[in-house]
Amino acid sequence: MISIKNLRKEYGTVTAVDGISFEVKRGEVFALLGPNGAGKTTTIKAILGLIQYEGDIFIDGMNARENEKRIKKMIGYLPEKVAFYDNLTALQTLQFYAELKGIHDADLPALLKEVNLERDANRKVGGFSKGMVQRLGLAQSLLGTPELLILDEPTTGLDALGAFEVRTKIRELSEQGNTILLSSHILSEVQELSHRVAILNKGSIVAIDTVENLSKKLDVQPKLRIELEHVSDEMVQQVSALDGVRDVTVEGNVIEAICPPNAKLSIIKTLEEAGGTVVDFKTVEPSLEEIFIKVVKDHV
């Protein structure tokens, strides 16, 4: 659905995006990650046709420069900072954007219901909370059932239930065949939703793959979490001395250690030989946060 080739953008002497290339498959949830100033927003603006750039962008096989109007009709966009007219109601806001997009058959009440704003349809947006404005922004982005959704920090300002509902909606849209380009600082959210991630740093893509593949490539190993009846200094010392085991930590009666899969039985056996009684244990897979920190540190 998206093909970017050698995208480059400079602002004076600052290179915001430095010749990046990547593709987003149809129906995929693809996440752009990176610290502030990495080039995520510039990349999104280029895809939306909001800035001039070097390189080429193709949307659904069409050159973005040559088919600007047609492509914009295919895209739904939720910006990071959502702003609407305070004097309009939620329903009037959607009517306004529907007219701008040339959409005449949208079921606007149903769209408000999708984001749990049906009871607030006739309330003025100026009285909305930040979370309600964010929900309305999501509804606006869904006008016209766009094939491509670009969501920049989609759960900003939402409470836990609201964030859960938005994540559920994103999964539903992906299952229906929509392509979603996602940018978020909430790494657990990205890990839960995304098929693949691209990590940007200083305008360049420093890693791109599934979270699982990235953890393997970067040798980000899982943690073994073991609950014991009691923990002694001797147990901790003996586990720490095992080959391949590192970063052993203790919290109450729980020992955590980063280790390769083949070291798990050795750790449990060592604890039992040191007088420990294992109550429970589990493997905690590497998080996207760990991968992100490792990648960015390696490319400072």
Side-chain angles (χ1 to χ4, degrees), residues 45-242:
K45 286 181 178 179
I47 294 170
L48 292 168
L50 299 177
I51 58 173
Q52 298 295 317
Y53 55 86
E54 297 176 47
D56 293 299
I57 297 176
F58 296 88
I59 306 294
D60 198 22
M62 296 180 289
N63 188 295
R65 289 192 183 95
E66 298 171 2
N67 301 274
E68 187 174 348
K69 288 185 179 180
R70 185 176 175 184
I71 285 172
K72 284 183 177 178
K73 289 183 177 180
M74 297 171 56
I75 298 176
Y77 174 48
L78 175 64
E80 180 180 1
K81 296 180 180 178
V82 185
F84 297 116
Y85 292 110
D86 289 348
N87 61 326
L88 295 182
T89 66
L91 187 58
Q92 289 170 336
T93 297
L94 290 188
Q95 289 171 337
F96 173 72
Y97 279 94
E99 290 174 11
L100 286 179
K101 292 185 176 183
I103 300 167
H104 306 292
D105 57 352
D107 188 344
L108 302 183
L111 199 52
L112 287 171
K113 187 174 182 179
E114 281 190 51
V115 296
N116 287 329
L117 285 177
E118 68 271 22
R119 295 181 180 178
D120 303 289
N122 296 311
R123 281 184 59 189
K124 289 190 176 181
V125 176
F128 276 17
S129 67
K130 185 177 180 181
M132 293 170 71
V133 171
Q134 192 73 8
R135 291 170 189 256
L136 185 58
L138 179 61
Q140 175 275 136
S141 73
L142 296 174
L143 277 167
T145 58
E147 296 175 53
L148 171 62
L149 277 169
I150 298 178
L151 307 178
D152 197 354
E153 303 290 344
T155 58
T156 295
L158 297 178
D159 58 20
L161 178 58
F164 171 78
E165 290 170 346
V166 169
R167 290 195 297 269
T168 300
K169 186 63 182 176
I170 290 172
R171 278 193 293 268
E172 289 175 358
L173 290 165
S174 176
E175 290 168 1
Q176 292 166 11
N178 294 84
T179 306
I180 299 168
L181 181 64
L182 173 69
S183 177
S184 174
H185 284 92
I186 305 173
L187 299 186
S188 59
E189 179 175 276
V190 173
Q191 183 164 1
E192 179 184 345
L193 293 172
S194 303
H195 297 106
R196 288 189 301 144
V197 300
I199 300 177
L200 284 78
N201 193 34
K202 297 181 179 179
S204 298
I205 292 179
V206 294
I208 182 168
D209 212 326
T210 64
V211 174
E212 181 181 1
N213 287 342
L214 284 174
S215 66
K216 290 177 182 177
K217 288 178 184 177
L218 298 168
D219 193 29
V220 182
Q221 296 180 339
K223 290 180 182 177
L224 181 62
R225 181 180 173 87
I226 306 168
E227 183 182 352
L228 301 145
E229 286 189 354
H230 74 279
V231 176
S232 68
D233 291 339
E234 182 185 356
M235 294 177 196
V236 176
Q237 289 169 5
Q238 290 194 24
V239 168
S240 301
L242 293 171

